[in-house]
Amino acid sequence: QVQLLESGGGLVQPGGSLRLSCAPSERTFSTYTMGWFRQVPGKEREFVAAIRWRGGATYYADSVKGRFTISTDGAKKTATLQMSSLNTEDTAVYYCAYGPYLIISQMPSQSGYRYWGQGTQVTVSS
């Protein structure tokens, strides 16, 4: 069973930055997609960003475009979400997701990902 090892998160003031990282315990897919989703209590889980390993195609939710950057380190099989200019609306539990090759239009859909992390809390508060 593939496990996703998440790190990062925590408490930050508005306008601050945080970095989340995620690495699968084993590489199941030769060409994979890694994504980040987030969820607040009482709301559905929403897409944040995704990246495809081969070619490096990325896709972002409009709410984070220009503030968040997703990248991969192929050697370490790690996906990193660099979050900047954070605001209180970014407060949520962030989940890493790992799946096979996805085209851009498939990336925002949770059904495209096969494995999920446990989630890490991000709190933006003064």
Side-chain angles (χ1 to χ4, degrees):
Q1 179 72 15
V2 176
Q3 294 184 335
L4 299 186
L5 309 176
E6 299 172 338
S7 61
L11 174 64
V12 65
Q13 292 185 342
S17 300
L18 277 176
R19 184 170 62 184
L20 306 180
S21 295
C22 174
S25 56
E26 58 185 271
R27 182 178 292 181
T28 303
F29 310 107
S30 58
T31 302
Y32 58 87
T33 303
M34 295 190 76
W36 289 95
F37 292 73
R38 65 187 183 186
Q39 189 172 23
V40 297
K43 293 188 177 181
E44 294 186 355
R45 190 172 298 184
E46 66 174 9
F47 171 76
V48 176
I51 186 167
R52 191 169 61 215
W53 162 231
R54 185 160 294 176
T58 58
Y59 189 70
Y60 296 91
D62 288 342
S63 59
V64 306
K65 200 172 295 182
R67 300 188 298 122
F68 291 10
T69 302
I70 189 169
S71 60
T72 60
D73 179 337
K76 298 182 180 179
K77 305 177 296 182
T78 300
T80 298
L81 184 69
Q82 179 67 47
M83 305 183 292
S84 303
S85 301
L86 287 161
N87 57 61
T88 56
E89 294 182 349
D90 295 316
T91 295
V93 176
Y94 284 69
Y95 295 90
C96 176
Y98 174 60
Y101 179 98
L102 298 175
I103 62 176
I104 295 291
S105 62
Q106 294 173 319
M107 288 183 178
S109 176
Q110 296 182 54
S111 62
Y113 300 87
R114 193 168 301 177
Y115 302 101
W116 291 82
Q118 293 296 311
T120 184
Q121 177 70 45
V122 172
T123 302
V124 185
S125 175
S126 56

Tab-separated table of all heavy atoms in Angstrom, residues 3-56:
chain	number	residue	atom	x	y	z
A	3	GLN	N	1.983	4.853	0.680
A	3	GLN	CA	1.693	5.897	1.666
A	3	GLN	C	2.288	7.208	1.192
A	3	GLN	O	3.358	7.239	0.592
A	3	GLN	CB	2.280	5.519	3.022
A	3	GLN	CG	1.632	4.300	3.651
A	3	GLN	CD	2.187	4.016	5.033
A	3	GLN	OE1	3.304	4.393	5.358
A	3	GLN	NE2	1.397	3.343	5.850
A	4	LEU	N	1.575	8.279	1.473
A	4	LEU	CA	2.058	9.610	1.136
A	4	LEU	C	2.545	10.282	2.413
A	4	LEU	O	1.790	10.411	3.381
A	4	LEU	CB	0.963	10.438	0.477
A	4	LEU	CG	0.403	9.892	-0.834
A	4	LEU	CD1	-0.574	10.876	-1.452
A	4	LEU	CD2	1.517	9.579	-1.811
A	5	LEU	N	3.801	10.680	2.395
A	5	LEU	CA	4.421	11.281	3.568
A	5	LEU	C	4.373	12.796	3.416
A	5	LEU	O	5.084	13.366	2.590
A	5	LEU	CB	5.858	10.781	3.691
A	5	LEU	CG	6.002	9.250	3.632
A	5	LEU	CD1	7.476	8.863	3.673
A	5	LEU	CD2	5.240	8.591	4.763
A	6	GLU	N	3.541	13.437	4.206
A	6	GLU	CA	3.368	14.883	4.142
A	6	GLU	C	4.186	15.567	5.236
A	6	GLU	O	4.335	15.033	6.331
A	6	GLU	CB	1.896	15.255	4.308
A	6	GLU	CG	0.981	14.681	3.243
A	6	GLU	CD	-0.476	14.915	3.560
A	6	GLU	OE1	-0.792	15.125	4.746
A	6	GLU	OE2	-1.303	14.875	2.638
A	7	SER	N	4.663	16.756	4.931
A	7	SER	CA	5.353	17.561	5.931
A	7	SER	C	5.074	19.031	5.646
A	7	SER	O	4.701	19.406	4.539
A	7	SER	CB	6.852	17.284	5.935
A	7	SER	OG	7.420	17.612	4.683
A	8	GLY	N	5.306	19.850	6.651
A	8	GLY	CA	5.040	21.273	6.533
A	8	GLY	C	3.726	21.625	7.205
A	8	GLY	O	3.194	20.856	7.978
A	9	GLY	N	3.217	22.783	6.904
A	9	GLY	CA	1.990	23.243	7.552
A	9	GLY	C	2.301	23.927	8.857
A	9	GLY	O	3.450	24.061	9.263
A	10	GLY	N	1.248	24.373	9.528
A	10	GLY	CA	1.405	25.049	10.807
A	10	GLY	C	0.657	26.361	10.833
A	10	GLY	O	-0.293	26.577	10.079
A	11	LEU	N	1.103	27.233	11.719
A	11	LEU	CA	0.457	28.519	11.928
A	11	LEU	C	1.301	29.639	11.321
A	11	LEU	O	2.525	29.670	11.528
A	11	LEU	CB	0.276	28.772	13.425
A	11	LEU	CG	-0.254	30.145	13.854
A	11	LEU	CD1	-1.677	30.357	13.341
A	11	LEU	CD2	-0.192	30.278	15.369
A	12	VAL	N	0.658	30.531	10.599
A	12	VAL	CA	1.369	31.648	9.978
A	12	VAL	C	0.465	32.878	9.996
A	12	VAL	O	-0.764	32.755	9.981
A	12	VAL	CB	1.787	31.293	8.536
A	12	VAL	CG1	0.568	31.088	7.642
A	12	VAL	CG2	2.713	32.329	7.944
A	13	GLN	N	1.066	34.039	10.041
A	13	GLN	CA	0.297	35.277	10.025
A	13	GLN	C	-0.131	35.620	8.598
A	13	GLN	O	0.527	35.207	7.628
A	13	GLN	CB	1.132	36.418	10.602
A	13	GLN	CG	1.422	36.278	12.080
A	13	GLN	CD	2.140	37.497	12.630
A	13	GLN	OE1	2.707	38.290	11.900
A	13	GLN	NE2	2.119	37.633	13.952
A	14	PRO	N	-1.203	36.381	8.470
A	14	PRO	CA	-1.616	36.816	7.119
A	14	PRO	C	-0.471	37.512	6.399
A	14	PRO	O	0.252	38.315	6.992
A	14	PRO	CB	-2.764	37.769	7.417
A	14	PRO	CG	-3.333	37.277	8.695
A	14	PRO	CD	-2.144	36.803	9.506
A	15	GLY	N	-0.325	37.179	5.127
A	15	GLY	CA	0.770	37.721	4.343
A	15	GLY	C	2.024	36.874	4.369
A	15	GLY	O	2.961	37.113	3.594
A	16	GLY	N	2.050	35.876	5.228
A	16	GLY	CA	3.216	35.019	5.379
A	16	GLY	C	3.266	33.896	4.358
A	16	GLY	O	2.420	33.803	3.461
A	17	SER	N	4.257	33.032	4.539
A	17	SER	CA	4.488	31.921	3.600
A	17	SER	C	4.669	30.613	4.359
A	17	SER	O	5.115	30.604	5.506
A	17	SER	CB	5.740	32.184	2.754
A	17	SER	OG	5.616	33.365	2.001
A	18	LEU	N	4.314	29.538	3.687
A	18	LEU	CA	4.533	28.196	4.201
A	18	LEU	C	4.842	27.276	3.032
A	18	LEU	O	4.458	27.565	1.889
A	18	LEU	CB	3.288	27.666	4.923
A	18	LEU	CG	3.039	28.054	6.373
A	18	LEU	CD1	1.705	27.485	6.843
A	18	LEU	CD2	4.169	27.596	7.274
A	19	ARG	N	5.488	26.163	3.338
A	19	ARG	CA	5.787	25.178	2.306
A	19	ARG	C	5.330	23.804	2.770
A	19	ARG	O	5.658	23.388	3.883
A	19	ARG	CB	7.276	25.160	1.986
A	19	ARG	CG	7.645	24.215	0.852
A	19	ARG	CD	9.077	24.424	0.412
A	19	ARG	NE	10.023	24.151	1.474
A	19	ARG	CZ	11.328	24.330	1.347
A	19	ARG	NH1	11.820	24.825	0.237
A	19	ARG	NH2	12.125	24.049	2.342
A	20	LEU	N	4.619	23.131	1.902
A	20	LEU	CA	4.187	21.759	2.149
A	20	LEU	C	4.932	20.827	1.209
A	20	LEU	O	5.175	21.172	0.051
A	20	LEU	CB	2.677	21.615	1.909
A	20	LEU	CG	1.749	22.561	2.656
A	20	LEU	CD1	0.294	22.274	2.293
A	20	LEU	CD2	1.950	22.459	4.152
A	21	SER	N	5.270	19.650	1.722
A	21	SER	CA	5.944	18.651	0.900
A	21	SER	C	5.228	17.321	1.016
A	21	SER	O	4.613	17.016	2.040
A	21	SER	CB	7.404	18.494	1.325
A	21	SER	OG	8.133	19.675	1.086
A	22	CYS	N	5.357	16.528	-0.039
A	22	CYS	CA	4.677	15.231	-0.067
A	22	CYS	C	5.523	14.277	-0.888
A	22	CYS	O	5.946	14.625	-2.002
A	22	CYS	CB	3.294	15.385	-0.670
A	22	CYS	SG	2.397	13.840	-0.914
A	23	ALA	N	5.721	13.082	-0.370
A	23	ALA	CA	6.488	12.072	-1.093
A	23	ALA	C	5.804	10.723	-0.959
A	23	ALA	O	5.463	10.320	0.162
A	23	ALA	CB	7.911	12.000	-0.558
A	24	PRO	N	5.596	10.012	-2.059
A	24	PRO	CA	5.038	8.670	-1.968
A	24	PRO	C	6.083	7.687	-1.478
A	24	PRO	O	7.271	7.843	-1.774
A	24	PRO	CB	4.607	8.355	-3.397
A	24	PRO	CG	5.490	9.200	-4.245
A	24	PRO	CD	5.786	10.430	-3.462
A	25	SER	N	5.666	6.683	-0.715
A	25	SER	CA	6.600	5.702	-0.164
A	25	SER	C	7.201	4.825	-1.267
A	25	SER	O	8.279	4.254	-1.101
A	25	SER	CB	5.896	4.822	0.870
A	25	SER	OG	4.754	4.191	0.300
A	26	GLU	N	6.517	4.719	-2.390
A	26	GLU	CA	7.045	4.008	-3.539
A	26	GLU	C	6.430	4.594	-4.792
A	26	GLU	O	5.332	5.148	-4.764
A	26	GLU	CB	6.721	2.512	-3.445
A	26	GLU	CG	5.241	2.190	-3.337
A	26	GLU	CD	5.003	0.710	-3.115
A	26	GLU	OE1	4.892	-0.007	-4.122
A	26	GLU	OE2	4.930	0.306	-1.935
A	27	ARG	N	7.149	4.473	-5.875
A	27	ARG	CA	6.664	5.016	-7.132
A	27	ARG	C	5.880	3.932	-7.857
A	27	ARG	O	6.439	2.967	-8.342
A	27	ARG	CB	7.809	5.527	-7.990
A	27	ARG	CG	7.326	6.155	-9.296
A	27	ARG	CD	8.478	6.704	-10.104
A	27	ARG	NE	9.090	7.862	-9.470
A	27	ARG	CZ	10.111	8.538	-10.000
A	27	ARG	NH1	10.630	8.149	-11.138
A	27	ARG	NH2	10.624	9.573	-9.376
A	28	THR	N	4.578	4.129	-7.887
A	28	THR	CA	3.702	3.136	-8.503
A	28	THR	C	3.498	3.389	-9.984
A	28	THR	O	3.322	2.448	-10.762
A	28	THR	CB	2.335	3.139	-7.788
A	28	THR	OG1	2.525	2.883	-6.406
A	28	THR	CG2	1.406	2.106	-8.388
A	29	PHE	N	3.523	4.650	-10.366
A	29	PHE	CA	3.231	5.037	-11.738
A	29	PHE	C	4.491	5.576	-12.392
A	29	PHE	O	5.196	6.389	-11.811
A	29	PHE	CB	2.136	6.100	-11.759
A	29	PHE	CG	0.931	5.749	-10.940
A	29	PHE	CD1	0.689	6.389	-9.731
A	29	PHE	CD2	0.049	4.781	-11.371
A	29	PHE	CE1	-0.414	6.075	-8.968
A	29	PHE	CE2	-1.061	4.455	-10.621
A	29	PHE	CZ	-1.288	5.096	-9.412
A	30	SER	N	4.747	5.142	-13.630
A	30	SER	CA	5.931	5.626	-14.329
A	30	SER	C	5.800	7.109	-14.651
A	30	SER	O	6.778	7.852	-14.599
A	30	SER	CB	6.144	4.819	-15.609
A	30	SER	OG	5.003	4.911	-16.446
A	31	THR	N	4.614	7.537	-14.980
A	31	THR	CA	4.327	8.961	-15.180
A	31	THR	C	3.174	9.313	-14.255
A	31	THR	O	2.074	8.806	-14.428
A	31	THR	CB	3.939	9.260	-16.632
A	31	THR	OG1	4.991	8.848	-17.495
A	31	THR	CG2	3.697	10.750	-16.810
A	32	TYR	N	3.450	10.143	-13.274
A	32	TYR	CA	2.450	10.358	-12.241
A	32	TYR	C	2.029	11.820	-12.163
A	32	TYR	O	2.691	12.714	-12.680
A	32	TYR	CB	2.972	9.900	-10.882
A	32	TYR	CG	4.247	10.593	-10.435
A	32	TYR	CD1	4.209	11.793	-9.748
A	32	TYR	CD2	5.493	10.030	-10.715
A	32	TYR	CE1	5.370	12.427	-9.337
A	32	TYR	CE2	6.655	10.653	-10.312
A	32	TYR	CZ	6.596	11.842	-9.627
A	32	TYR	OH	7.756	12.461	-9.232
A	33	THR	N	0.947	12.004	-11.481
A	33	THR	CA	0.437	13.340	-11.180
A	33	THR	C	0.326	13.469	-9.668
A	33	THR	O	-0.147	12.542	-8.998
A	33	THR	CB	-0.950	13.554	-11.803
A	33	THR	OG1	-0.885	13.327	-13.221
A	33	THR	CG2	-1.444	14.981	-11.549
A	34	MET	N	0.773	14.593	-9.160
A	34	MET	CA	0.623	14.846	-7.723
A	34	MET	C	-0.145	16.146	-7.544
A	34	MET	O	0.087	17.120	-8.271
A	34	MET	CB	1.977	14.922	-7.039
A	34	MET	CG	2.729	13.588	-7.097
A	34	MET	SD	4.187	13.532	-6.060
A	34	MET	CE	3.438	13.333	-4.444
A	35	GLY	N	-1.034	16.121	-6.602
A	35	GLY	CA	-1.877	17.281	-6.390
A	35	GLY	C	-2.068	17.609	-4.928
A	35	GLY	O	-1.731	16.806	-4.047
A	36	TRP	N	-2.576	18.790	-4.682
A	36	TRP	CA	-2.948	19.237	-3.342
A	36	TRP	C	-4.402	19.685	-3.369
A	36	TRP	O	-4.824	20.407	-4.271
A	36	TRP	CB	-2.056	20.385	-2.886
A	36	TRP	CG	-0.655	19.978	-2.568
A	36	TRP	CD1	0.425	20.028	-3.387
A	36	TRP	CD2	-0.183	19.459	-1.321
A	36	TRP	NE1	1.535	19.566	-2.746
A	36	TRP	CE2	1.199	19.218	-1.473
A	36	TRP	CE3	-0.782	19.178	-0.093
A	36	TRP	CZ2	1.983	18.696	-0.444
A	36	TRP	CZ3	0.002	18.677	0.935
A	36	TRP	CH2	1.370	18.441	0.764
A	37	PHE	N	-5.111	19.236	-2.363
A	37	PHE	CA	-6.488	19.652	-2.141
A	37	PHE	C	-6.589	20.196	-0.723
A	37	PHE	O	-5.706	19.954	0.092
A	37	PHE	CB	-7.446	18.468	-2.308
A	37	PHE	CG	-7.555	17.960	-3.728
A	37	PHE	CD1	-6.529	17.237	-4.311
A	37	PHE	CD2	-8.699	18.205	-4.478
A	37	PHE	CE1	-6.623	16.766	-5.610
A	37	PHE	CE2	-8.819	17.736	-5.777
A	37	PHE	CZ	-7.768	17.020	-6.345
A	38	ARG	N	-7.662	20.904	-0.410
A	38	ARG	CA	-7.836	21.396	0.948
A	38	ARG	C	-9.301	21.337	1.333
A	38	ARG	O	-10.191	21.342	0.479
A	38	ARG	CB	-7.298	22.811	1.086
A	38	ARG	CG	-8.037	23.863	0.265
A	38	ARG	CD	-7.305	25.207	0.352
A	38	ARG	NE	-8.025	26.269	-0.367
A	38	ARG	CZ	-7.545	27.498	-0.549
A	38	ARG	NH1	-6.333	27.820	-0.068
A	38	ARG	NH2	-8.250	28.397	-1.213
A	39	GLN	N	-9.508	21.303	2.643
A	39	GLN	CA	-10.874	21.180	3.148
A	39	GLN	C	-11.007	21.904	4.470
A	39	GLN	O	-10.133	21.812	5.340
A	39	GLN	CB	-11.247	19.707	3.323
A	39	GLN	CG	-12.705	19.467	3.640
A	39	GLN	CD	-13.045	17.987	3.595
A	39	GLN	OE1	-12.181	17.116	3.741
A	39	GLN	NE2	-14.323	17.684	3.381
A	40	VAL	N	-12.107	22.622	4.607
A	40	VAL	CA	-12.451	23.252	5.881
A	40	VAL	C	-13.712	22.571	6.401
A	40	VAL	O	-14.508	22.040	5.619
A	40	VAL	CB	-12.676	24.776	5.728
A	40	VAL	CG1	-11.403	25.450	5.270
A	40	VAL	CG2	-13.815	25.069	4.761
A	41	PRO	N	-13.913	22.563	7.700
A	41	PRO	CA	-15.090	21.889	8.270
A	41	PRO	C	-16.389	22.402	7.661
A	41	PRO	O	-16.580	23.607	7.510
A	41	PRO	CB	-14.986	22.225	9.754
A	41	PRO	CG	-13.538	22.453	9.998
A	41	PRO	CD	-13.028	23.098	8.748
A	42	GLY	N	-17.227	21.470	7.289
A	42	GLY	CA	-18.525	21.833	6.742
A	42	GLY	C	-18.547	22.106	5.255
A	42	GLY	O	-19.610	22.396	4.693
A	43	LYS	N	-17.379	22.025	4.632
A	43	LYS	CA	-17.312	22.276	3.196
A	43	LYS	C	-16.686	21.091	2.485
A	43	LYS	O	-15.990	20.285	3.090
A	43	LYS	CB	-16.511	23.545	2.912
A	43	LYS	CG	-17.185	24.826	3.392
A	43	LYS	CD	-16.428	26.046	2.894
A	43	LYS	CE	-17.143	27.333	3.297
A	43	LYS	NZ	-16.416	28.534	2.784
A	44	GLU	N	-16.913	21.020	1.189
A	44	GLU	CA	-16.326	19.955	0.405
A	44	GLU	C	-14.834	20.205	0.182
A	44	GLU	O	-14.371	21.351	0.184
A	44	GLU	CB	-17.039	19.853	-0.952
A	44	GLU	CG	-18.492	19.410	-0.850
A	44	GLU	CD	-19.108	19.176	-2.206
A	44	GLU	OE1	-18.432	19.459	-3.223
A	44	GLU	OE2	-20.262	18.716	-2.274
A	45	ARG	N	-14.125	19.112	-0.030
A	45	ARG	CA	-12.706	19.225	-0.344
A	45	ARG	C	-12.559	19.893	-1.708
A	45	ARG	O	-13.270	19.550	-2.654
A	45	ARG	CB	-12.068	17.841	-0.353
A	45	ARG	CG	-10.571	17.837	-0.421
A	45	ARG	CD	-10.019	16.431	-0.234
A	45	ARG	NE	-10.360	15.889	1.076
A	45	ARG	CZ	-9.915	14.707	1.505
A	45	ARG	NH1	-9.147	13.951	0.730
A	45	ARG	NH2	-10.274	14.271	2.694
A	46	GLU	N	-11.641	20.837	-1.793
A	46	GLU	CA	-11.473	21.564	-3.044
A	46	GLU	C	-10.049	21.446	-3.572
A	46	GLU	O	-9.089	21.318	-2.809
A	46	GLU	CB	-11.833	23.044	-2.868
A	46	GLU	CG	-10.917	23.816	-1.949
A	46	GLU	CD	-11.244	25.311	-1.933
A	46	GLU	OE1	-12.273	25.730	-2.482
A	46	GLU	OE2	-10.421	26.062	-1.361
A	47	PHE	N	-9.949	21.529	-4.870
A	47	PHE	CA	-8.670	21.439	-5.552
A	47	PHE	C	-7.849	22.697	-5.322
A	47	PHE	O	-8.389	23.814	-5.312
A	47	PHE	CB	-8.915	21.236	-7.051
A	47	PHE	CG	-7.690	21.336	-7.900
A	47	PHE	CD1	-6.767	20.296	-7.944
A	47	PHE	CD2	-7.444	22.477	-8.646
A	47	PHE	CE1	-5.635	20.392	-8.725
A	47	PHE	CE2	-6.317	22.586	-9.429
A	47	PHE	CZ	-5.410	21.535	-9.472
A	48	VAL	N	-6.528	22.507	-5.169
A	48	VAL	CA	-5.618	23.635	-4.995
A	48	VAL	C	-4.642	23.724	-6.181
A	48	VAL	O	-4.575	24.743	-6.858
A	48	VAL	CB	-4.833	23.525	-3.683
A	48	VAL	CG1	-3.818	24.659	-3.563
A	48	VAL	CG2	-5.782	23.528	-2.487
A	49	ALA	N	-3.880	22.667	-6.397
A	49	ALA	CA	-2.875	22.684	-7.449
A	49	ALA	C	-2.459	21.258	-7.770
A	49	ALA	O	-2.618	20.359	-6.945
A	49	ALA	CB	-1.659	23.502	-7.024
A	50	ALA	N	-1.899	21.068	-8.968
A	50	ALA	CA	-1.418	19.746	-9.366
A	50	ALA	C	-0.274	19.891	-10.357
A	50	ALA	O	-0.150	20.919	-11.044
A	50	ALA	CB	-2.543	18.917	-9.984
A	51	ILE	N	0.541	18.854	-10.424
A	51	ILE	CA	1.669	18.835	-11.346
A	51	ILE	C	1.848	17.425	-11.884
A	51	ILE	O	1.667	16.447	-11.166
A	51	ILE	CB	2.961	19.337	-10.663
A	51	ILE	CG1	4.103	19.462	-11.675
A	51	ILE	CG2	3.359	18.438	-9.499
A	51	ILE	CD1	5.302	20.245	-11.141
A	52	ARG	N	2.174	17.356	-13.151
A	52	ARG	CA	2.427	16.072	-13.782
A	52	ARG	C	3.923	15.899	-13.932
A	52	ARG	O	4.608	16.815	-14.390
A	52	ARG	CB	1.720	16.020	-15.148
A	52	ARG	CG	1.688	14.656	-15.780
A	52	ARG	CD	0.753	14.662	-16.974
A	52	ARG	NE	1.208	15.601	-17.983
A	52	ARG	CZ	0.375	16.321	-18.745
A	52	ARG	NH1	-0.928	16.212	-18.588
A	52	ARG	NH2	0.857	17.139	-19.651
A	53	TRP	N	4.450	14.763	-13.540
A	53	TRP	CA	5.886	14.542	-13.500
A	53	TRP	C	6.520	14.710	-14.863
A	53	TRP	O	7.436	15.482	-15.035
A	53	TRP	CB	6.184	13.175	-12.918
A	53	TRP	CG	7.563	12.650	-13.197
A	53	TRP	CD1	7.868	11.432	-13.711
A	53	TRP	CD2	8.809	13.318	-12.996
A	53	TRP	NE1	9.233	11.294	-13.831
A	53	TRP	CE2	9.834	12.435	-13.410
A	53	TRP	CE3	9.165	14.576	-12.527
A	53	TRP	CZ2	11.185	12.764	-13.335
A	53	TRP	CZ3	10.519	14.910	-12.463
A	53	TRP	CH2	11.487	14.014	-12.860
A	54	ARG	N	6.021	14.023	-15.859
A	54	ARG	CA	6.653	14.106	-17.168
A	54	ARG	C	6.158	15.366	-17.891
A	54	ARG	O	4.985	15.532	-18.147
A	54	ARG	CB	6.311	12.878	-17.992
A	54	ARG	CG	7.034	12.829	-19.329
A	54	ARG	CD	7.069	11.437	-19.886
A	54	ARG	NE	7.867	10.552	-19.064
A	54	ARG	CZ	8.007	9.251	-19.282
A	54	ARG	NH1	7.365	8.682	-20.288
A	54	ARG	NH2	8.743	8.511	-18.504
A	55	GLY	N	7.051	16.257	-18.170
A	55	GLY	CA	6.698	17.502	-18.840
A	55	GLY	C	6.461	18.654	-17.891
A	55	GLY	O	6.568	19.818	-18.273
A	56	GLY	N	6.137	18.339	-16.646
A	56	GLY	CA	5.973	19.380	-15.643
A	56	GLY	C	4.733	20.230	-15.780
A	56	GLY	O	4.677	21.336	-15.230
